[in-house]
Structure formats: structure tokens, C-alpha cells
Amino acid sequence: MYMHIGSACTVRGAAMATTPKWVQQQQQQQPCAPAARRAAGYTVVRCSSLPEGPAPQLQLPPPIRRSANYQPNSWNYDSLESSLAGCNKRNREGDPSSFDKLKFRVRHLLLQQEVEILTKLRVIDTVQRLGVAYHFDDEISAILNSVSTEKQDVDRVDDVRLMTLSFRLLRQNNYPVSPEVVLRSLKDGTGNFKKTLQKDTEGLLSLYEASHLAFEGDHLLDEARVFSTEALRELRPSMHPHLRSSVDNALAVPLHWAAPRLQARWFINHYARDSDADLSLLHFAKLDFNNVQKLQQQELSRITRWWRNADLSESLPFARDRLMECFYFATGVAPEPSLEACREVVAKTFALIVLLDDIYDIYGTLDELVMFTDAIERWGTSASEQLPEYMKAIYLTIVSTSNEVAEHVLRQEGCDARFLLKKAWHDLCKAFLMEAKWHYSNYKPTLHEYLENGWISVSGPLMLIHAFPIIEKKGVTPNSIQQLESYPKLVQMVSKIFRLCNDSATHSEELKRGDAPSSIAIYMSENRATEHDARKAMRDLTMETWKTVNQDAFSNCRFPLPFANACVNMARISHCIYRGGGDGISAPDDEKMMEIKELFLQPFKVEN
């Protein structure tokens, strides 16, 4: 029997990615094959107890693979498709002429001339919260432009709600506005916030919401956030229930961090209980929500058919099937009705990412992960031939899905995005592989190392890269593609928020599984801190990262507004899907399931 030392050693169930140096030296010094040894003057010795003939192959034991024991898919696709088919047969709810009449009335609310500016700003705020502002972009821009250029009533220092609301609306709509100029009157002669403000609940709530639009260096807004948060918590027990509901919702997730479509669903219900609600506006919002829901049901029906045809659960039974949750996430990134193609691309991409994450995190050996990463770099159907059987189907689905996007862009814009999309997948796989190497070698990265890799491995850049050429129908150029290849700061920062939100929800479970450490675990180790202190430090880091996002998106953004909005929306849906420390992807709870049903399957009841 000929003895041969292989190039892979088993480490915790996985093969090493490289040949040990001492093996390399022996291989260089000694010819391995029998014929080569004879030519070199070696005598080949055969064990006398073995019969003549071909040497038996050394059988290696199968690799030991881990399991995360994820909960099964919560959605029955047969039932879902049946339900969606029934929904898709119905026409748009209500009489179109009735819808148009309501839209005309809402436009009148915005354009009425005889009301003061605060009333107009409140209407804008309400329209935005209800999710129907996209119908009135021109009217809203005209009002805000008037406020910005003429400074109408904004210097009325006696009305904190006017000052804070005008600041928030102007800043989030890209108008230059200084918090120092608008909010300095809220302080007394000693530099503290005025005591009268401590009893103005609505003013405090408006100040709290405005404070989350801070840029780097906006120290007054930092002070306002701390002050308003503490004051609202103190006043909470004595609040009217309806106002308390507003405060609780804001303290859980501030408006600027909330996913627009989720916020609209919540606010329509909340507004319906407001005694001062405008019934025409409420009726219009319900009709519009139902109309958009029907559009998204059609999208969901299409991607469900695509997913079932791909049949990846057959080759990857250990991985998470989370198509519905991925569509929920995609709706957060691209909520506008006109972005249906973008939602479908992001949902498909994210569903594939979730499966791939489980291969790299749980199932694949290190040798297999290296092979897959190399195959992604080579990109093409032939590159799959050397992959293990279970990897081939997902590899081919990834390549075909991204190639479809690239072909669509080439047809529509005449621009080749194939290299950009392939590079994004390769960068993600390299980041996944890095975390796998950390795990198998028991390496503990620094917090800086972890986050530099983590904003890529969380998959935000990959999804945004795929979204860009679909959103920017007229803005895809060789120059814009080249800009995206290096991942602009805005893409990096929203992905960093995505990573920090993910870590907040998954830290405990990943610790139990023995995965590579999270930002929380690393901070605890580096600073000898408790988990409570580490979580607070990561929340503070998230807040600071949001300041960079705000400045890049609303002050000096290098990209068109639709893509900037998609980036900001990714940060927003990250907060929502991991809200309350729950993992809405791996382990969606009853609350998350209800949110999904309300978004896509349960319309509002509307009286004719």
C-alpha cells in the first residue's frame, strides 16, 4: 500500500484551506508517485500482506457538520399562493372616481391659503405618516420651499412644535437648515432647556423626533434628544391614552428610524382613534394602503413561484427558508409603489443570501467554502462543476438571478453591470469566509476588524448594489457603476447600522452555537464590560453612525434621491426587523408574523 499525506487536516469537522508547511516541504523534497520515485532512484516497498494490484484508496470519515436548529418556515406556500391568487383576481378597491375625489380633497388641505404655516406643516406630517405623500410631492415641495426661503413664522419662539416640526421636515427633505438657529430659543439664560418645555408633551415629542435628524457636530440636538427622552418618560403616566400611544411608539422606534410602510399601517389605526382626524384624509389613506397592498400581493405571487421553481430547500434542507421575511425586508428598502421591480430583486437576492449565510456559518467545511468563494470569483455555469453537489443549485441560481438583472440593465440603459454585481457577490463570500476562518481558528478579531468585515458580511452592500440599477432608471452610467464598486460612505454606514441591529438581536443565540463573536461579545472582551454596558455602547455607536448617514443622505449626497432614500430605508427596516431584540429573519415571533400579515394579506375595512 502506498502511503500519501493529504493536504487537508480536520479541524472541528472542517478541512484546512491551505497545506501545512511541513507537508509542502516533504512534497517538494520527495517524489510522491511510484513511477517518479523509481526514476529518482527510490525503491518502492510494498507491504507483503497486501495482494498485487491497485493500491486501495484511503477513506476519510465524512466531515462533522454543525446544525443551528432553526425553526422551520412559518408560511405554507400552497396556502399562500392560493390566497394570493384570490386577491389578484379582484380589481382595485373602490370606485376610481371616488379615490380621485378624495385625492383632490387632500390636495386642497395642503394648498389652502387661509391657514397658518403650522397647520400646513402638520398636514404634511400627517400625510407622510399615513404613507400617501408620494401622491403630493410637488405640493409638499412648494410649501417647504416657501418655508425655507421666506422663513414664514419659523422664528416664533413661543411655539416649540412649529420650530421643531419645520426643522425636521426641512432637513429630511434636503433643505439647508441649522438646528442652532431654529432651536436656540428653547434654552434659558443658564443654557438649560426652559422649564415650561418640560410640561409640553406634544412639544417634547416633536423635539424628540427632530433630534434624530442630527448631523455630526449637532450637539444641541444631542442635548435635545436626552432631555426630551427623560421628560417624556417622566410625563408618561399622566398622559392621555392616545397621546401615550404616540409616545410609546416613538420611544420604541423614532419616526426617522421607522420603515415607512410599517409606520403607515400603525399610524392609520392610530389616526382613526384621533378625535380631530380628517375623515377624508383617513379614508383616502385606507384606500391607498389597500391598493398598494394588492400590487405587492402580485409581486409576492411572482417571487413565490420563482422560489418554488428554484427548489433550493431540496439541496439545502439545513438552511433557513425565509422568502416572506425577505420580501418584508425588501418592502422596507423600496416602499414606493413604483419600485416593484426593485422589491422583487432585493427579495430574491436576500432570500439567496440567507441560504448562503447558513452554508458559510453552519454547514460548509472550510475547504468547501474556499471552493465556493473561488467559483463566485470565476462566475459562470462551468465554475460549478468542481463544487460539492449540495452547493451547485444555489451557485447556479445566484449566477442566473444576477445575470438577469445585468441583462435588464444592458437592455434598458445600454450599460454593463455584470462586473459590479459579480464583485458584490464575491465580496460578500470573502467576508463570510473570513468569519468562518475566525471560527475554525478560534481567532478573536478586534472590534475594528470585526466591523470592517461585518458591514459587508451583513449583506447590505450586495442588496443595494442590485437595487441601484433598478431604481436609477436614468442614472446608470459607467461613472456611477465605478463609484459603487468602492462602496460609497452612505452604503457603508447604513450597512454598519444593519450589522449593529443584527448583532443586538442574534448575539445570545450565536454565543450558544459557538459562532464567531459579535460586536457585543468583542466589546465585552476588549473593555471587560458587562453585556448591559456593551449593548449601550453599541446603541451609542448606532446613534453616531446615523449622524453620518443623515449628513450623507440629506446634505452632501453624491447619488440621486431615490437611491439615497433606499439606503436610508435599509437602515430603517433593520431597526424594525430586529425590534425589541428579536430576530425577525431567523426566528420571527407572533408579533412579526402579524406585521407581515397586516402588510401583505389583511386590507383595511373601508366603508363605501
Side-chain angles (χ1 to χ4, degrees):
M1 181 173 68
Y2 306 113
M3 303 302 295
H4 174 67
I5 299 175
S7 63
C9 299
T10 301
V11 180
R12 300 180 70 177
M16 292 179 62
T18 57
T19 306
K21 288 184 178 179
W22 64 272
V23 175
Q24 295 176 9
Q25 292 169 355
Q26 286 194 356
Q27 291 173 340
Q28 292 170 359
Q29 294 169 1
Q30 300 180 9
C32 292
R37 290 185 179 184
R38 291 191 187 98
Y42 287 88
T43 300
V44 179
V45 179
R46 179 180 296 277
C47 179
S48 60
S49 63
L50 294 176
E52 291 292 333
Q57 296 296 315
L58 181 63
Q59 296 295 320
L60 295 175
I64 301 172
R65 301 189 188 274
R66 297 191 299 150
S67 172
N69 293 318
Y70 290 120
Q71 68 184 47
N73 178 26
S74 303
W75 306 93
N76 181 292
Y77 289 132
D78 287 331
S79 298
L80 180 62
E81 284 200 276
S82 177
S83 174
L84 292 172
C87 292
N88 291 339
K89 288 178 182 178
R90 303 188 194 104
N91 294 323
R92 201 171 86 161
E93 181 164 353
D95 179 8
S97 63
S98 175
F99 183 85
D100 291 339
K101 288 176 182 177
L102 288 168
K103 183 176 178 180
F104 178 81
R105 292 178 188 174
V106 176
R107 181 179 286 110
H108 176 72
L109 284 175
L110 286 165
L111 298 180
Q112 52 189 329
Q113 299 295 323
E114 64 276 9
V115 299
E116 62 178 13
I117 190 62
L118 178 58
T119 301
K120 287 188 177 183
L121 294 179
R122 281 180 166 173
V123 173
I124 292 175
D125 185 40
T126 302
V127 164
Q128 289 182 342
R129 289 174 185 257
L130 289 169
V132 295
Y134 70 96
H135 288 288
F136 311 103
D137 286 338
D138 292 341
E139 292 82 359
I140 290 172
S141 294
I143 296 170
L144 294 179
N145 188 56
S146 175
V147 173
S148 175
T149 56
E150 299 177 21
K151 306 295 182 184
Q152 295 187 39
D153 295 332
V154 171
D155 292 328
R156 273 176 40 190
V157 298
D158 60 320
D159 197 331
V160 62
R161 281 167 286 180
L162 172 61
M163 291 184 291
T164 53
L165 181 57
S166 63
F167 167 78
R168 177 168 64 79
L169 292 176
L170 288 171
R171 176 160 282 191
Q172 74 184 23
N173 286 278
N174 303 87
Y175 289 92
V177 56
S178 167
E180 296 289 337
V181 172
V182 177
L183 305 179
R184 62 190 173 190
S185 60
L186 302 182
K187 289 194 170 187
D188 58 24
T190 64
N192 297 316
F193 285 98
K194 294 177 179 178
K195 291 183 178 180
T196 54
L197 183 57
Q198 293 178 331
K199 298 179 181 179
D200 182 357
T201 306
E202 291 190 12
L204 286 168
L205 183 56
S206 184
L207 178 62
Y208 169 84
E209 298 287 21
S211 70
H212 288 85
L213 272 293
F215 292 169
E216 292 174 319
D218 282 345
H219 302 301
L220 177 57
L221 291 178
D222 290 336
E223 295 176 33
R225 186 183 68 256
V226 174
F227 168 77
S228 58
T229 302
E230 293 176 352
L232 286 169
R233 285 175 176 161
E234 289 180 9
L235 290 172
R236 185 183 177 280
S238 61
M239 292 178 189
H240 184 277
H242 190 260
L243 181 56
R244 188 187 305 130
S245 176
S246 293
V247 171
D248 288 345
N249 186 65
L251 291 177
V253 179
L255 180 62
H256 184 55
W257 293 7
R261 192 77 180 149
L262 279 174
Q263 172 64 22
R265 178 80 205 203
W266 178 86
F267 190 73
I268 289 172
N269 285 324
H270 181 75
Y271 189 61
R273 296 189 292 269
D274 188 340
S275 58
D276 296 327
D278 184 287
L279 296 182
S280 294
L281 178 53
L282 177 63
H283 193 186
F284 178 73
K286 288 182 177 181
L287 284 175
D288 186 74
F289 187 94
N290 291 352
N291 290 336
V292 176
Q293 185 182 78
K294 288 176 182 176
L295 175 67
Q296 293 174 348
Q297 286 169 349
Q298 295 170 16
E299 299 162 18
L300 188 54
S301 181
R302 287 193 293 270
I303 67 167
T304 301
R305 287 196 300 271
W306 165 82
W307 186 245
R308 299 189 76 176
N309 289 336
D311 195 23
L312 295 175
S313 60
E314 181 71 22
S315 57
L316 306 171
F318 56 86
R320 292 164 292 171
D321 179 346
R322 296 294 185 268
L323 181 67
M324 195 70 154
E325 290 77 10
C326 291
F327 185 68
Y328 166 94
F329 189 92
T331 303
V333 174
E336 294 84 356
S338 61
L339 298 180
E340 57 184 290
C342 179
R343 279 189 293 278
E344 292 186 39
V345 167
V346 172
K348 290 178 180 180
T349 304
F350 196 17
L352 293 171
I353 290 166
V354 172
L355 297 178
L356 193 61
D357 185 36
D358 291 343
I359 292 174
Y360 276 82
D361 259 6
I362 302 297
Y363 194 78
T365 67
L366 206 52
D367 271 349
E368 291 170 348
L369 303 183
V370 169
M371 281 192 289
F372 193 92
T373 305
D374 290 343
I376 287 289
E377 184 178 24
R378 293 199 302 276
W379 198 260
T381 54
S382 62
S384 69
E385 294 172 0
Q386 303 303 315
L387 293 176
E389 198 63 32
Y390 79 92
M391 286 180 159
K392 290 181 179 179
I394 186 172
Y395 176 85
L396 294 173
T397 306
I398 286 172
V399 171
S400 64
T401 302
S402 283
N403 283 348
E404 284 179 12
V405 175
E407 289 165 7
H408 171 80
V409 174
L410 189 61
R411 287 195 306 268
Q412 297 294 319
E413 308 298 328
C415 195
D416 191 350
R418 285 174 299 177
F419 175 77
L420 176 68
L421 302 180
K422 183 197 84 168
K423 178 182 180 298
W425 275 110
H426 189 222
D427 287 345
L428 177 70
C429 289
K430 287 190 295 182
F432 279 171
L433 181 61
M434 179 63 71
E435 292 178 351
K437 289 179 177 179
W438 289 344
H439 168 76
Y440 284 116
S441 64
N442 288 317
Y443 177 73
K444 295 182 179 179
T446 65
L447 185 60
H448 176 75
E449 286 176 318
Y450 174 81
L451 291 176
E452 280 299 296
N453 190 73
W455 66 260
I456 300 176
S457 69
V458 79
S459 75
L462 174 60
M463 284 187 274
L464 289 172
I465 291 299
H466 279 71
F468 175 77
I470 305 299
I471 292 176
E472 295 302 332
K473 297 179 181 178
K474 300 297 182 184
V476 183
T477 64
N479 183 55
S480 65
I481 287 178
Q482 187 176 9
Q483 281 184 296
L484 285 173
E485 285 177 13
S486 58
Y487 302 122
K489 185 194 291 186
L490 181 59
V491 172
Q492 293 185 34
M493 292 300 103
V494 298
S495 298
K496 186 175 180 179
I497 291 171
F498 187 4
R499 166 53 65 199
L500 292 170
C501 291
N502 175 277
D503 283 1
S504 176
T506 62
H507 163 74
S508 299
E509 286 301 316
E510 290 181 347
L511 199 62
K512 291 177 185 176
R513 290 199 301 266
D515 290 353
S518 68
S519 56
I520 295 171
I522 296 170
Y523 185 91
M524 290 170 66
S525 176
E526 287 185 353
N527 297 276
R528 297 182 180 181
T530 64
E531 182 175 335
H532 178 271
D533 290 340
R535 286 185 178 277
K536 182 182 182 304
M538 294 303 100
R539 286 195 300 271
D540 292 343
L541 179 57
T542 301
M543 183 66 69
E544 291 304 309
T545 308
W546 260 110
K547 293 178 183 178
T548 306
V549 169
N550 290 339
Q551 194 147 7
D552 248 47
F554 305 124
S555 179
N556 48 18
C557 185
R558 296 184 295 155
F559 291 95
L561 186 60
F563 182 66
N565 286 340
C567 291
V568 176
N569 282 332
M570 175 170 282
R572 289 168 172 157
I573 193 62
S574 300
H575 282 285
C576 295
I577 206 161
Y578 298 115
R579 181 175 178 174
D583 185 349
I585 298 294
S586 297
D589 56 17
D590 291 342
E591 181 181 351
K592 195 61 59 185
M593 294 280 289
M594 181 54 67
E595 281 183 3
I596 292 174
K597 289 177 181 177
E598 289 180 341
L599 276 182
F600 307 125
L601 302 175
Q602 296 178 357
F604 282 107
K605 294 182 179 179
V606 181
E607 297 179 2
N608 294 325

